[in-house]
Amino acid sequence: MNTRQREDLHLFEKLANFRDIGGLQTVDGRVMKAGLLYRSDDISKMRPKDAEKLSTYNIKVVCDLRTPKRHRSKRSRHASNESFHLFNFPLHQEETQASRWMILDFFFRRSGGERFLEFSSGYYQHMAFKSTSQIKALITLLAQEENMPALIHCTAGKDRTGYIAALIQLFAGVPYETVLQEYLLTNHYYETRLEKVAKIVNGVTLKRVSPARTKLILTAHQRFLDEVYQAMLQKHGSVAVYLREGCGIEESTLAKFKESLLEAEQ
């Protein structure tokens, strides 16, 4: 499944994509701390038992990457009873920036799969290079020790959350190959649900939408992370320079954040 054993798989009834993004070795032999940063799908879906379980992680801050509208309308019903603070850092101002007609096009048109892949490539580029002010605000918040542990989430915890989690892991010094494996774990976490959804969609559309098309649209793709990572390196040379020059984060903030992400040197 991955380079490490996943102990957080299926811990929650309604959260399918919850996991710790730490506990990974870096290129220089250090270890990214576990128990510090978590990622998830939409926490507004939580049942009371899920909220009770989440409280054991002592999370101080929840960073919601969804649109402002979705953040307001799909706010966690348990938030008022929890000790964490909610913040909204929308990496897109409008939900998927795709109209309903476009989404239908992705599913039903013969060329919909190709159009979806093209759209999603642009979606990742937008997150990386057009949402830099939101990334700056997010990293600046997480660099403050009193805001940890923290949870980052969007709707499925796949693209927006996947990008931010990968960005933080890369900044901490985790090798890209490991970061990619972690990013693609979403497909393992959703595997059972995806099979069911693909069959349901195939049935209700009278087989007009194949299971393969549904899976194409609802899975995490290596291509998108590869493309945005290479674009970042071409423009800035490294993730650290991207965060400093591309996102405008202060050097002192980045230094503080990186040290907070890593276990103490032996």
Side-chain angles (χ1 to χ4, degrees):
M1 186 197 322
N2 190 249
T3 54
R4 56 179 171 155
Q5 185 66 33
R6 300 305 318 194
E7 297 179 353
D8 43 21
L9 181 60
H10 304 321
L11 284 177
F12 297 88
E13 183 179 353
K14 287 296 183 178
L15 300 183
N17 204 12
F18 178 94
R19 57 191 185 270
D20 192 329
I21 74 169
L24 301 166
Q25 190 166 20
T26 66
V27 291
D28 57 1
R30 297 184 70 179
V31 176
M32 186 178 173
K33 289 179 184 176
L36 192 69
L37 278 170
Y38 301 91
R39 57 176 289 180
S40 179
D41 43 326
D42 179 10
I43 65 170
S44 72
K45 302 180 298 184
M46 290 192 301
R47 297 279 176 84
K49 286 185 177 180
D50 287 336
E52 183 179 350
K53 178 66 179 178
L54 188 64
S55 70
T56 66
Y57 289 84
N58 299 313
I59 288 168
K60 305 289 181 56
V61 163
V62 171
C63 302
D64 183 354
L65 307 180
R66 298 173 301 169
T67 64
K69 181 179 179 181
R70 188 60 62 92
H71 173 71
R72 291 190 299 269
S73 65
K74 294 287 187 177
R75 191 180 179 91
S76 171
R77 66 180 74 93
H78 307 288
S80 61
N81 299 320
E82 297 293 345
S83 60
F84 57 72
H85 298 284
L86 286 168
F87 293 87
N88 185 211
F89 299 103
L91 296 189
H92 287 275
Q93 292 298 320
E94 299 295 334
E95 196 64 30
T96 72
Q97 293 189 334
S99 68
R100 293 182 180 181
W101 291 112
M102 187 183 294
I103 294 171
L104 289 172
D105 181 82
F106 294 157
F107 277 99
F108 286 97
R109 285 189 62 175
R110 181 172 297 180
S111 61
E114 294 177 3
R115 290 167 64 85
F116 164 76
L117 293 174
E118 181 180 355
F119 169 82
S120 296
S121 291
Y123 186 84
Y124 273 70
Q125 298 295 319
H126 178 95
M127 286 193 290
F129 304 112
K130 300 297 183 181
S131 299
T132 52
S133 62
Q134 298 295 334
I135 294 171
K136 176 183 180 179
L138 171 63
I139 298 298
T140 301
L141 180 78
L142 296 180
Q144 304 305 310
E145 185 178 355
E146 63 269 21
N147 294 327
M148 294 293 198
L151 170 69
I152 302 166
H153 83 90
C154 54
T155 301
K158 175 171 70 75
D159 296 309
R160 289 166 290 192
T161 300
Y163 171 69
I164 292 297
L167 183 64
I168 293 172
Q169 289 168 332
L170 288 166
F171 176 64
V174 178
Y176 182 72
E177 294 75 13
T178 303
V179 171
L180 179 60
Q181 289 179 28
E182 291 286 308
Y183 168 81
L184 293 173
L185 266 179
T186 287
N187 297 335
H188 178 77
Y189 277 56
Y190 275 124
E191 186 174 13
T192 301
R193 295 189 184 194
L194 185 56
E195 290 291 341
K196 292 179 181 178
V197 169
K199 289 180 181 179
I200 291 171
V201 172
N202 183 244
V204 299
T205 61
L206 302 178
K207 298 187 177 182
R208 291 183 61 197
V209 177
S210 69
R213 177 65 61 84
T214 299
K215 291 177 184 179
L216 174 73
I217 293 172
L218 298 182
T219 57
H221 293 268
Q222 176 176 341
R223 164 183 168 175
F224 305 145
L225 192 62
D226 284 347
E227 288 175 347
V228 77
Y229 179 55
Q230 289 303 316
M232 188 185 303
L233 294 182
Q234 289 174 8
K235 288 176 181 287
H236 298 285
S238 71
V239 172
V241 175
Y242 159 76
L243 290 173
R244 186 177 70 247
E245 298 181 357
C247 299
I249 305 173
E250 295 289 337
E251 183 68 47
S252 59
T253 300
L254 290 174
K256 182 179 179 181
F257 183 47
K258 185 167 186 177
E259 195 58 32
S260 74
L261 292 172
L262 298 171
E263 297 282 0
E265 292 187 272
Q266 300 297 320

